[in-house]
Amino acid sequence: MSAGLFGLLDDIAVLARLAAASIDDVGAAAGRASLKAAGVVVDDTAVTPQYVQGVAAQRELPIIKQIAVGSVRNKLLFILPAALLLSQFAPEWVLPLILVGGGTFLAYEGAHKVWEKLSHHEAPQKAEGKVAAEIGPEQEKEMVGGAIRTDFILSAEIMVISLNEVLEEPFLSRAVVLVVVAVAITAVVYGVVAAIVKMDDVGLALAQRSSALSQRVGLSLVRAMPRLLDVIALVGTAAMLWVGGHILLAQFHELAELDFFLGWNGPYEAVHHLEEAVHDATGAAGGVLGWVVNTALSAVVGLVVGAVVLAIVLAVPSRGKAATTH
């Protein structure tokens, strides 16, 4: 009887080790997937605070909570099932094509933000944020709905990029990883957003205390708020160009490997060879410098592709206007 008990305990220990290994694998895969989606995540973090600019302080966190709940619903109820079905049954060239579209959109968004900065045009989201200061309950509901629809596009990009990182995993592991990514990224994004939008309120509360130290800290927080949003926007733009360009390079390479007619290996191989050359020539710092070269060239590719798409988008309305005036 004791031998049977020890055998049972040994089996339980084996199963526990297997479960722990599986959890580690899921965590590692979720980490890789989240890192690849960095550009969209930072952009989501930069965009969302603009929806509550000027809104009454007591309504800021409830609005962010509504958008966060809508974001989780987008990811888990709509995007996740579609992504899993796609990965299981669609031809192997379908996902690379979808990622090419997502990478192009990211590159366009990044180039558009660069153009706005250089031409001093105001982003539409910022204009929407200013309007939000004067709205009532119905308009607030519409604004939250608009934010959730915008989030749907960003969430779809996050989930598809993440899916591409775990395609080799079994179906169940793939599903668990995507659920972890969906929940974790939403929690991080909207947790950071909540902290950002309440930073000025915390600063004002500290500034009104009698302590000179509290006042200095409070005023520093209030002054830092606009700069922090600018830094997040800058990092988001750089990340979009980098991730968008990297996706385009990698997926055109993938399509070439599949002998798909849109495949193009040249740019990927050129960047890869240059990365390897820098890696081999710089000794101990080779890993970091090689990554920097790959990242910088990916961002350049993203900027070039995004600029071309932006030029087309800007040209189409002007042609329409020209046609109507003639």
Side-chain angles (χ1 to χ4, degrees), residues 38-285:
V40 193
V41 172
V42 178
D43 185 44
D44 207 358
T45 307
V47 167
T48 307
Q50 296 168 1
Y51 285 100
V52 294
Q53 283 181 356
V55 173
Q58 66 270 22
R59 294 302 307 155
E60 290 176 341
L61 291 183
I63 288 174
I64 291 171
K65 180 181 177 181
Q66 291 177 61
I67 299 172
V69 170
S71 179
V72 171
R73 191 184 301 120
N74 283 341
K75 293 181 179 76
L76 297 184
L77 298 186
F78 302 109
I79 301 169
L80 176 63
L84 290 174
L85 288 173
L86 179 70
S87 67
Q88 195 70 16
F89 300 110
E92 57 185 358
W93 50 264
V94 170
L95 186 59
L97 272 185
I98 292 174
L99 283 166
V100 165
T104 303
F105 180 76
L106 275 178
Y108 162 74
E109 283 285 294
H112 193 269
K113 290 179 185 298
V114 172
W115 176 78
E116 284 176 347
K117 192 70 176 174
L118 295 177
S119 61
H120 306 291
H121 280 70
E122 187 177 28
Q125 291 94 336
K126 291 183 180 179
E128 290 170 9
K130 290 178 181 177
V131 174
E134 303 167 1
I135 65 174
E138 285 302 317
Q139 291 86 353
E140 179 183 301
K141 185 177 179 182
E142 290 179 13
M143 182 188 67
V144 170
I148 292 173
R149 285 191 294 273
T150 300
D151 175 88
F152 187 90
I153 298 172
L154 298 171
S155 293
E157 289 187 86
I158 288 169
M159 296 295 280
V160 172
I161 292 169
S162 302
L163 172 64
N164 190 55
E165 290 301 303
V166 294
L167 278 177
E168 303 302 320
E169 301 287 336
F171 182 83
L172 183 57
S173 297
R174 213 181 307 153
V176 172
V177 168
L178 290 179
V179 169
V180 170
V181 168
V183 174
I185 283 181
T186 303
V188 169
V189 167
Y190 289 98
V192 170
V193 168
I196 289 172
V197 300
K198 299 309 290 183
M199 192 171 80
D200 54 351
D201 292 336
V202 173
L204 285 172
L206 289 173
Q208 291 169 358
R209 292 187 176 182
S210 57
S211 166
L213 177 60
S214 295
Q215 291 175 4
R216 282 199 299 271
V217 172
L219 290 173
S220 297
L221 287 176
V222 172
R223 289 172 186 151
M225 176 74 168
R227 295 173 189 169
L228 178 61
L229 289 175
D230 288 341
V231 169
I232 291 174
L234 180 62
V235 172
T237 299
M240 281 188 288
L241 293 173
W242 158 49
V243 175
H246 182 76
I247 289 172
L248 290 171
L249 289 170
Q251 297 312 311
F252 277 119
H253 169 71
E254 181 72 19
L255 291 170
E257 294 291 305
L258 296 172
D259 293 324
F260 195 75
F261 72 97
L262 286 178
W264 189 20
N265 235 348
Y268 175 87
E269 289 185 348
V271 171
H272 184 64
H273 289 326
L274 187 56
E275 178 186 4
E276 285 189 337
V278 171
H279 178 278
D280 295 340
T282 52

